[in-house]
Amino acid sequence: MEAVQRFLRHGFLSYKALFGWLDPKVYIFVMVLSPLSQLIFFSTLVNYVYKGINLLGYVAANALLLCVLNSVFGIMSVITSDRWMGTLPLVIATPYNKASLFLSRSIAHVLNGLVTAAIGLMFGVLIFQLTISVKEGLVLLVIWLFSIFTATGLGLILGTFCLWSPSMHLWSNLLASLLLLLSGANYPFSRMPEWLQFLGQFTPLTRGVQLTKDILNDGNYSNVIVLLGEEILLGIAFFAVSFLLLKFAEYQSRSKGTMEFD
């Protein structure tokens, strides 16, 4: 029980240290209002193109994509900030298990991404005067939780790149654009070229977007277990790769000092 409390407490303190210094107004503008403007833009565009057909599925899919700000930029900032402030060597040197350490630091970003996506869905439903049942909302909550977990794993992999590259904003913006493109949130996934569909199978949120559309537009729950299982396995693989990259960075730092800025 003490280990669980320590795990959760560390995740909370890490998140508070990352954003606690921000003015609440800036935090709300960046983490809530800015993502909502993206949702309104793409949902309005989709509403115009498809003349309102299956609009609820597209609005919800775009709401799920709002988590990218937390799951990619947020978790990336964890490692980047540690390196910038010179605390990363201390984090790496701690005898605490590294996998548990970074997993606990990811939990707050997963939950924050889920809250942002839920707020986006609520605003989308109100703005476009749509309806969603309690059952659909609860199922989406579970699907989105694991989809965001997988996206956070990929964000953690990207975060490790800051140990070798100074252009992290370029990488993170590129990844966010790729997730928007490959998820199929704003068009049928089958309309993409086959090689992009193949690539989309290895990116997070693609299955979450597909399940969201299947449930809200067609009432189809038959693929939930299979696709959700694949999404969870993909998330575990992403976290495993990120831990290996951190171990490699730790090994390199002993000879090249790559954990500190010049």
Side-chain angles (χ1 to χ4, degrees), residues 72-81 83-84 154-176 261:
V72 174
F73 292 86
I75 194 64
M76 181 195 75
S77 300
V78 169
I79 301 179
T80 306
S81 298
R83 190 183 181 204
W84 180 259
L154 185 57
L156 190 57
I157 290 177
L158 185 68
T160 61
F161 288 179
C162 80
L163 300 169
W164 299 286
S165 171
S167 307
M168 288 313 298
H169 290 292
L170 172 64
W171 288 106
S172 57
N173 280 288
L174 178 62
L175 178 59
F261 279 104

Side-chain angles (χ1 to χ4, degrees), residues 35-54:
L36 286 181
S37 66
Q38 174 184 314
L39 170 76
I40 294 172
F41 172 79
F42 283 109
S43 297
T44 302
L45 183 63
V46 165
N47 188 29
Y48 173 77
V49 173
Y50 299 114
K51 303 184 186 310
I53 298 175
N54 294 328

Side-chain angles (χ1 to χ4, degrees), residues 97-193:
N97 182 275
K98 302 301 183 300
S100 178
L101 180 71
F102 282 96
L103 188 59
S104 70
R105 303 178 92 183
S106 303
I107 295 299
H109 296 279
V110 173
L111 296 177
N112 197 14
L114 186 61
V115 171
T116 302
I119 292 174
L121 177 60
M122 183 181 66
F123 271 82
V125 166
L126 292 175
I127 291 173
F128 293 96
Q129 300 181 340
L130 304 168
T131 57
I132 182 171
S133 69
V134 175
K135 175 186 175 184
E136 291 169 338
L138 293 176
V139 174
L140 286 185
L141 186 68
V142 176
I143 294 170
W144 287 10
L145 178 65
F146 288 107
S147 295
I148 296 171
F149 166 78
T150 304
T152 303
L154 185 57
L156 190 57
I157 290 177
L158 185 68
T160 61
F161 288 179
C162 80
L163 300 169
W164 299 286
S165 171
S167 307
M168 288 313 298
H169 290 292
L170 172 64
W171 288 106
S172 57
N173 280 288
L174 178 62
L175 178 59
S177 300
L178 283 176
L179 292 179
L180 183 64
L181 169 69
L182 297 176
S183 67
N186 294 304
Y187 41 80
F189 188 74
S190 58
R191 294 283 184 89
M192 289 196 298

Side-chain angles (χ1 to χ4, degrees), residues 185-215:
N186 294 304
Y187 41 80
F189 188 74
S190 58
R191 294 283 184 89
M192 289 196 298
E194 289 186 2
W195 68 274
L196 281 180
Q197 292 184 40
F198 177 77
L199 189 59
Q201 298 301 320
F202 298 95
T203 58
L205 303 179
T206 301
R207 293 169 184 78
V209 165
Q210 180 180 340
L211 288 172
T212 299
K213 288 181 177 179
D214 286 348
I215 291 172

